[in-house]
Amino acid sequence: MNTKITLAIQKSGRLNEGTIELLNRCGIKISNGNNHLKALAEGFPMEVLLLRDDDIPQYVADGVADIGILGYNEVLEKGKDIEVVRQLGFSRCRLSIAIPRDVNYSGRQWLSGKRIATSYPEILKKFLNQNAIDADIHTISGSVEITPGIGMADAIFEIVSSGGTLLSNNLKEVDVIMKSEAVLVANKSLDEQKSELLKKLEFRIEAVLKAQRNKYILLNAPKDKLNQIISLIPGMKSPTVLPLAIEGWCSLHSVVNEDDFWEVIGRLKDAGAEGILVVPIEKMVI
Ligand code: ATP
Ligand code: MG
């Protein structure tokens, strides 16, 4: 079978690094060569198109690319008929309303009759319609944050991550409208072979993302506390228990989720665990 799947990714910008890193972790290396639009992948039957993120939804909808990686915000903005396969956990940001710091935001109706600058007019339009707000949308493609300061807009609707850009432009975030992260998208009518390849890629991504969310944990436990400690770190099926050379002690190996990590560590110590080691996991297949 010589079928290749065509993946569209951002050529350069805020998604590029996370995308390349994810693919690398999935065992897929991209060599760009001299051709700046197309690249071949090693480690997977895949061809890669390097595009502006704005163009990815159209390429995938038309089937020029079979699948793509881009920000969910861009998927919504373009509104093309493509399938969102899964979230990828990087390039996390939010799209928010921000206004000058010294202005009081009395709630969403404050936006009525105001001029709002944005590079996401479609998402903003939908939001305004849903909230029955009548406002002027000013679409601009970059440096949206400077528009209130130069008298072009009363508010902005833009991507925020740390809030640093807002701060340096004397703006404050007053309303988070949506959250976004990178997503894997696909054409809705892939043939059987390409669907198979997409499934294989999803399998690899799943293993990588699961591994990122979990840590391998090793600890020493007194045998009389074993049951209590096991209940704190049940692991994938059950923890591994190995005898220690010292009578009455054993070593326990398990997996712990990053989200409850610190809380679990505290409880393990309280329950009598000692010598706790935590190590990263490379891949995780359950
Ligand atoms: P292109 O040249 O490909 O059109 P762009 O200038 O439109 O790029 P970038 O600034 O590279 O876009 O951002 C790409 C995507 O990364 C955004 O659509 C968003 O999903 C995400 N993103 C943008 N800014 C941030 C940020 N500060 N933190 C995290 N994610 C972000
Ligand atoms: Mg863009």
Side-chain angles (χ1 to χ4, degrees):
M1 166 174 123
N2 292 322
T3 304
K4 284 194 170 81
I5 195 160
T6 306
L7 166 72
I9 65 172
Q10 190 189 28
K11 185 177 165 66
S12 63
R14 287 201 152 104
L15 290 158
N16 184 266
E17 201 183 304
T19 305
I20 301 286
E21 195 182 316
L22 174 66
L23 292 173
N24 282 346
R25 290 214 171 126
C26 290
I28 303 169
K29 292 231 154 37
I30 293 166
S31 51
N32 193 2
N34 292 327
N35 190 334
H36 292 303
L37 175 67
K38 250 189 201 175
L40 260 183
E42 267 173 56
F44 201 82
M46 177 185 277
E47 201 169 60
V48 180
L49 299 180
L50 298 145
L51 306 170
R52 285 201 59 185
D53 66 348
D54 309 57
D55 297 331
I56 296 176
Q58 183 76 59
Y59 272 65
V60 173
D62 291 348
V64 179
D66 303 308
I67 54 177
I69 293 178
L70 76 165
Y72 183 60
N73 53 309
E74 207 58 54
V75 176
L76 275 195
E77 179 62 27
K78 293 295 182 283
K80 301 288 176 202
D81 190 22
I82 55 180
E83 188 191 345
V84 176
V85 179
R86 64 163 299 138
Q87 299 183 323
L88 298 175
F90 62 92
S91 291
R92 287 210 168 98
C93 57
R94 46 196 194 271
L95 270 79
S96 297
I97 300 279
I99 64 171
R101 235 174 338 175
D102 54 3
V103 174
N104 182 34
Y105 185 72
S106 48
R108 291 185 170 166
Q109 283 310 320
W110 180 89
L111 295 165
S112 287
K114 300 285 197 300
R115 299 162 302 166
I116 313 170
T118 186
S119 38
Y120 296 96
E122 293 304 321
I123 299 174
L124 178 58
K125 201 184 291 171
K126 209 182 240 171
F127 162 75
L128 292 175
N129 282 342
Q130 278 166 357
N131 287 275
I133 297 164
D134 192 13
D136 272 347
I137 300 175
H138 289 238
T139 306
I140 46 177
S141 57
S143 305
V144 172
E145 289 85 356
I146 66 162
T147 56
I150 57 173
M152 240 182 89
D154 306 300
I156 65 164
F157 173 64
E158 255 313 296
I159 289 178
V160 180
S161 61
S162 70
T165 317
L166 293 184
L167 206 64
S168 60
N169 284 285
N170 264 320
L171 299 172
K172 60 180 177 187
E173 182 179 13
V174 290
D175 213 337
V176 178
I177 307 307
M178 68 167 281
K179 294 204 167 141
S180 177
E181 67 184 82
V183 291
L184 177 67
V185 297
N187 178 278
K188 282 193 166 169
S189 40
L190 293 182
D191 64 30
E192 206 175 310
Q193 288 180 330
K194 286 182 173 175
S195 298
E196 254 336 283
L197 287 177
L198 174 57
K199 272 201 201 115
K200 281 189 181 156
L201 179 64
E202 276 184 74
F203 176 77
R204 290 194 193 186
I205 292 174
E206 185 71 28
V208 169
L209 296 186
K210 265 212 190 91
Q212 275 172 5
R213 288 195 301 267
N214 289 280
K215 303 271 181 247
Y216 192 70
I217 182 166
L218 304 89
L219 55 84
N220 295 329
K223 274 191 179 147
D224 56 342
K225 302 279 174 53
L226 203 55
N227 285 342
Q228 191 189 348
I229 290 177
I230 286 176
S231 71
L232 292 170
I233 42 172
M236 289 197 274
K237 204 175 204 93
S238 87
T240 307
V241 181
L242 301 165
L244 282 193
I246 302 174
E247 194 54 40
W249 283 77
C250 55
S251 168
L252 215 89
H253 298 198
S254 191
V255 166
V256 59
N257 191 290
E258 200 174 42
D259 295 337
D260 359 282
F261 176 71
W262 289 110
E263 171 126 5
V264 170
I265 296 281
R267 286 206 223 141
L268 287 171
K269 276 184 61 129
D270 292 346
E274 288 180 12
I276 304 172
L277 298 180
V278 177
V279 284
I281 300 170
E282 171 111 0
K283 308 276 188 298
M284 195 163 155
V285 179
I286 295 180

